[in-house]
Amino acid sequence: MELASTPAQDGFYFPAEFARQEQVWLAWPERTDNWRNDAKPAQRAFADVANAIVKTVPVCVVISKWQAEYARQLLDDAISLEIMPYNDAWMRDIGPTILVNDQGERRGVSWQFNAWGGDYNGLYDYWEDDDQVAAAVCAKLGLDHYRAPFVLEGGAIHTDGQGTLYTTEECLLSPGRNPSMSKADIEQQLAEYLGIQKVIWLPNGLFNDETDGHVDNLLHVIAPGKVALTWTDNVRDPQYTLSREALRVLVNSTDARGRRIEVVKLPLPGPLYLSKEEAEGVIQSEGMNRTEGERLSGSYANFLMINHTVFMPLLDPITDRLAMQSLQDALPDYQIVGIPAREILLGGGNIHCITQQIPSGL
């Protein structure tokens, strides 16, 4: 049921990803203007992610009816399928953000979705089905939900579950999202719909990120007062300055509880570029340009944390091991699982972008 109140009015808040989780949802990729070679390589990569996660928690995959039979061949038998309309496979952005209260009850938030920029710079023209996915998932889960009165995607926000929200100015202040809202207006709405007390605004996301700088491709909150940040020491790389700007904000900020923020640096893979073969496998469209030599927005921060397991993308043999070790050192009681994820990156995101966790309830 869609509720007329707000989460803040009802005492609900956005829990941390490192809190206890009950389930993970994904959506099946099939757009031929985003996923190469009829999306078959991406489908295998998505299946690898889902099959790894289901060893930790139950997994559900949203899918179209004409893809279900083939997907069933690739997916673990323990994974459930839900047929519903959708436009592309970024469950982080189209799925619900699930909130909890102090009694362990859960409710969802359905953000307004406009394909990362609407008529201004959206990646595709028709997004009406994506905009309905969050409410449909909540219905499948038996959860009431709130319909937010503004545009937001799940990949644009990270939280510590203790009142602090991390985001980027590049994304939330982009002209294609909410041009009539000021920064103060957005902060007020984030407080109202996520139950948070403080927003830490980073200037920009990762270089050449077509989502206008989603925070989850730059940074990951891994514990209260502790974040993992994409980093490079290559002064010639455009990410060099962007990461230092983010670090400057982080080290000069305190979170909602007054803690200084500890920063763990994750190496930047590559730089990685789209190959000729990869580009030629995509049917070109106006919004999503996939051209040979394009810089890919690859990041190890785009991982998923589920119940003391980290599912991390493997993107570059030169830096994969270092990234995994950095996370293991920062999270010694976690299992770090690396999954080859270049095919997901080719579509514009990675493991965190294609998943949405469902927190445990009562």
Side-chain angles (χ1 to χ4, degrees), residues 181-300:
M181 295 174 66
S182 67
K183 191 174 184 179
D185 292 336
I186 292 172
E187 284 200 5
Q188 190 276 329
Q189 291 292 338
L190 292 172
E192 199 66 38
Y193 281 86
L194 293 169
I196 53 96
Q197 289 85 53
K198 183 170 185 177
V199 180
I200 294 178
W201 292 88
L202 305 179
N204 296 283
L206 206 69
F207 176 71
N208 207 36
D209 185 342
E210 64 187 8
T211 66
D212 300 317
H214 271 187
V215 73
D216 73 344
N217 212 25
L218 174 73
L219 170 150
H220 207 117
V221 183
I222 60 175
K226 190 174 184 178
V227 303
L229 175 68
T230 301
W231 191 259
T232 180
D233 289 318
N234 180 1
V235 296
R236 296 182 180 87
D237 196 298
Q239 189 57 41
Y240 180 90
T241 298
L242 301 179
S243 290
R244 277 157 180 78
E245 289 176 347
L247 181 65
R248 174 182 53 80
V249 172
L250 292 167
V251 299
N252 288 291
S253 300
T254 55
D255 66 17
R257 299 199 177 183
R259 290 175 295 228
R260 308 297 297 184
I261 298 166
E262 180 184 353
V263 179
V264 175
K265 295 176 180 176
L266 294 180
L268 180 73
L272 307 173
Y273 300 93
L274 191 68
S275 73
K276 179 180 180 181
E277 177 187 4
E278 291 165 342
E280 290 177 345
V282 177
I283 297 175
Q284 295 296 323
S285 65
E286 183 177 344
M288 291 181 285
N289 298 312
R290 302 285 181 254
T291 56
E292 178 186 358
E294 177 187 352
R295 171 76 176 262
L296 299 171
S297 192
S299 166
Y300 294 115

Side-chain angles (χ1 to χ4, degrees), residues 79-155:
I79 295 173
S80 59
L81 302 180
E82 285 287 350
I83 294 175
M84 69 175 67
Y86 63 102
N87 301 114
D88 204 359
W90 305 106
M91 185 54 76
R92 176 66 49 181
D93 294 343
I94 64 177
T97 298
I98 303 299
L99 313 179
V100 300
N101 65 11
D102 291 339
Q103 288 72 50
E105 299 171 317
R106 297 176 297 175
R107 292 178 181 175
V109 178
S110 171
W111 309 108
Q112 292 186 18
F113 181 79
N114 70 352
W116 308 277
D119 294 334
Y120 178 78
N121 66 340
L123 298 185
Y124 42 81
D125 292 332
Y126 179 78
W127 57 77
E128 284 81 357
D129 287 340
D130 277 347
D131 193 40
Q132 300 300 314
V133 167
V137 171
C138 286
K140 294 289 185 182
L141 293 170
L143 301 178
D144 292 337
H145 73 277
Y146 305 90
R147 175 62 168 174
F150 62 107
V151 174
L152 190 76
E153 306 94 31

Side-chain angles (χ1 to χ4, degrees), residues 17-18 158 216 218-223 226-230 262-267 299-306 308-314 319-339 351-352:
E17 194 172 311
F18 49 79
H158 258 309
D216 73 344
L218 174 73
L219 170 150
H220 207 117
V221 183
I222 60 175
K226 190 174 184 178
V227 303
L229 175 68
T230 301
E262 180 184 353
V263 179
V264 175
K265 295 176 180 176
L266 294 180
S299 166
Y300 294 115
N302 206 305
F303 58 81
L304 178 70
M305 303 179 76
I306 295 291
H308 287 272
T309 304
V310 167
F311 299 95
M312 192 198 84
L314 299 179
T319 48
D320 285 347
R321 184 171 296 183
L322 177 58
M324 291 186 71
Q325 190 59 56
S326 297
L327 275 181
Q328 190 68 80
D329 292 343
L331 298 166
D333 57 342
Y334 276 68
Q335 179 184 8
I336 312 298
V337 177
I339 305 172
I351 291 175
H352 196 258

